[in-house]
Amino acid sequence: RCSVDNRVTRVAWLNRSSILYAGNDKWCLDPRVVLLANTKTQYSIQIQDVDVYDEGPYTCSVQTDNHPKTSRVHLIVQVSPKIIEISPDISINEGGNVSLTCIATGRPDPTITWRHISPKAVGFISEDEYLEITGITREQSGEYECSASNDVSAPVVQRVKVTVNYPPYISDAKSTGVPVGQKGILLCEASAVPSADFQWYKDDKRLAEGQKGLKVENKPFFSRLTFFNVSEQDYGNYTCVASNQLGNTNASMILYGE
């Protein structure tokens, strides 16, 4: 907007050195620029669908009986943040190094932060486009969120999933006492990524699924060995072996009578 009074005889709007309007006459070819008002008190133009290229100085030039007068306004164009590049989901072995990248555009330049989406997370772990994790641990697996903000609009966020692979670790394997003729269960719990495969042995002999009187149930984090009707021959030492492509581990337990 440009305020004028009745002493003004001629008016024009310029963008840098280009004339946009002189009086009611349009001098620029851009259809987005329109004349809003040319009255005794106001000379106003409107730029529709503003673009970053519209940023810069605009000059209202007026001619009075005495001398020309100009007033200048600087248009600052703001752009909401937008994430244009982010690392894909990644799978890595424990102890490896991870580099995550998050590139965003916006005006003013957005601030980029990374945080680990986990119950133990406290605040940001990086206030930069790049997140470097050296010697990653299994506790550092999960989702990492990149946030880009510049106060023009709400921050934009995207997530990257980091899977940390590690060999099996048997967390629970207890010996069990069961009377003859009763149902008995041996349980072997193991954490591993990828999930562990389980095998059972009695002494050095592998137990097969479907063996008479026995049932083996394998789940991603545990294996259950069930005896439907315990006999004297069932008592003894059993070994659970948990393995994945990164390694294996075993634990022994005893099925005993009262």
Side-chain angles (χ1 to χ4, degrees), residues 80-87 101-106 110 112 129 146 148 156 158:
S80 298
K82 182 181 180 183
I83 294 173
I84 57 170
E85 182 188 329
I86 191 164
S87 298
T101 305
C102 181
I103 309 292
T105 58
I112 295 179
E129 294 174 341
C146 168
V156 289
Q158 285 192 32

Coordinates of all heavy atoms in Angstrom, one line a residue, residues 80-87 101-106 110 112 129 146 148 156 158:
S80 N 7.5 -22.5 4.3 CA 7.5 -23.5 5.3 C 8.6 -24.6 5.1 O 9.0 -24.8 4.0 CB 6.1 -24.3 5.2 OG 5.1 -23.4 5.5
P81 N 9.0 -25.2 6.2 CA 10.1 -26.2 6.0 C 9.6 -27.4 5.3 O 8.4 -27.8 5.3 CB 10.5 -26.6 7.5 CG 9.3 -26.2 8.3 CD 8.6 -25.0 7.6
K82 N 10.5 -28.1 4.5 CA 10.2 -29.3 3.8 C 11.4 -30.2 3.8 O 12.5 -29.7 3.5 CB 9.8 -28.9 2.4 CG 9.4 -30.1 1.5 CD 9.0 -29.7 0.1 CE 8.6 -30.9 -0.8 NZ 8.4 -30.5 -2.2
I83 N 11.2 -31.4 4.2 CA 12.3 -32.4 4.2 C 12.4 -32.9 2.8 O 11.5 -33.6 2.3 CB 12.1 -33.5 5.2 CG1 12.2 -32.9 6.7 CG2 13.2 -34.6 5.1 CD1 11.8 -33.9 7.8
I84 N 13.6 -32.7 2.1 CA 13.7 -33.1 0.7 C 14.6 -34.4 0.6 O 14.6 -35.0 -0.5 CB 14.3 -32.0 -0.1 CG1 15.7 -31.5 0.4 CG2 13.4 -30.8 -0.2 CD1 16.4 -30.6 -0.5
E85 N 15.3 -34.7 1.7 CA 16.1 -36.0 1.6 C 16.3 -36.5 3.0 O 16.7 -35.7 3.9 CB 17.5 -35.6 1.0 CG 18.4 -36.8 0.8 CD 19.8 -36.4 0.4 OE1 20.0 -35.4 -0.3 OE2 20.8 -37.1 0.8
I86 N 16.1 -37.8 3.2 CA 16.3 -38.4 4.5 C 16.8 -39.9 4.2 O 16.5 -40.5 3.2 CB 15.0 -38.4 5.3 CG1 15.3 -38.8 6.8 CG2 13.9 -39.3 4.7 CD1 14.3 -38.5 7.8
S87 N 17.7 -40.3 5.1 CA 18.2 -41.7 5.0 C 17.1 -42.7 5.0 O 16.1 -42.6 5.7 CB 19.2 -42.0 6.2 OG 20.3 -41.1 6.1
T101 N 21.2 -38.9 7.6 CA 21.2 -37.6 7.0 C 19.7 -37.1 6.8 O 18.9 -37.9 6.5 CB 21.9 -37.6 5.6 OG1 23.2 -38.1 5.7 CG2 21.9 -36.2 5.0
C102 N 19.5 -35.8 7.1 CA 18.2 -35.2 6.9 C 18.4 -33.8 6.4 O 18.9 -32.9 7.0 CB 17.5 -35.2 8.3 SG 15.8 -34.5 8.2
I103 N 18.0 -33.6 5.1 CA 18.2 -32.3 4.4 C 16.8 -31.7 4.2 O 15.9 -32.3 3.8 CB 18.9 -32.5 3.0 CG1 20.2 -33.3 3.1 CG2 19.1 -31.1 2.4 CD1 21.3 -32.7 3.9
A104 N 16.7 -30.4 4.6 CA 15.4 -29.7 4.5 C 15.7 -28.3 3.9 O 16.7 -27.7 4.0 CB 14.8 -29.6 5.9
T105 N 14.6 -27.8 3.3 CA 14.6 -26.5 2.7 C 13.6 -25.6 3.4 O 12.7 -26.1 4.1 CB 14.3 -26.5 1.2 OG1 13.1 -27.1 1.0 CG2 15.4 -27.3 0.5
G106 N 13.7 -24.3 3.3 CA 12.7 -23.4 3.8 C 13.4 -22.0 4.0 O 14.6 -21.9 3.8
P110 N 15.6 -23.8 7.9 CA 15.1 -24.5 9.1 C 16.2 -25.0 10.0 O 17.3 -25.3 9.5 CB 14.2 -25.6 8.5 CG 14.8 -25.8 7.1 CD 15.3 -24.5 6.6
I112 N 17.4 -28.1 12.1 CA 17.1 -29.5 12.0 C 17.6 -30.2 13.3 O 18.7 -29.9 13.8 CB 17.8 -30.1 10.8 CG1 17.2 -29.5 9.6 CG2 17.8 -31.6 10.8 CD1 17.8 -30.0 8.3
E129 N 22.1 -31.6 10.6 CA 21.5 -32.4 9.5 C 22.0 -33.8 9.6 O 21.3 -34.7 9.1 CB 21.9 -31.8 8.1 CG 21.3 -30.5 7.8 CD 21.9 -29.9 6.6 OE1 22.9 -30.3 6.1 OE2 21.2 -29.0 6.0
C146 N 13.6 -37.1 12.6 CA 14.2 -35.8 12.1 C 13.1 -34.7 12.1 O 12.0 -35.0 11.6 CB 14.8 -35.9 10.8 SG 15.2 -34.4 10.0
A148 N 12.3 -30.6 11.2 CA 12.8 -29.4 10.6 C 11.8 -28.3 10.9 O 10.6 -28.4 10.6 CB 12.9 -29.6 9.1
V156 N 8.1 -30.0 10.4 CA 7.8 -31.2 9.7 C 8.7 -32.3 10.2 O 9.9 -32.0 10.6 CB 8.0 -31.1 8.1 CG1 6.9 -30.2 7.6 CG2 9.4 -30.5 7.8
Q158 N 10.0 -36.6 10.0 CA 10.1 -37.9 9.3 C 10.9 -38.8 10.2 O 11.8 -38.4 10.9 CB 10.6 -37.8 7.9 CG 9.7 -37.2 6.9 CD 10.1 -37.3 5.5 OE1 10.8 -38.3 5.1 NE2 9.8 -36.4 4.6

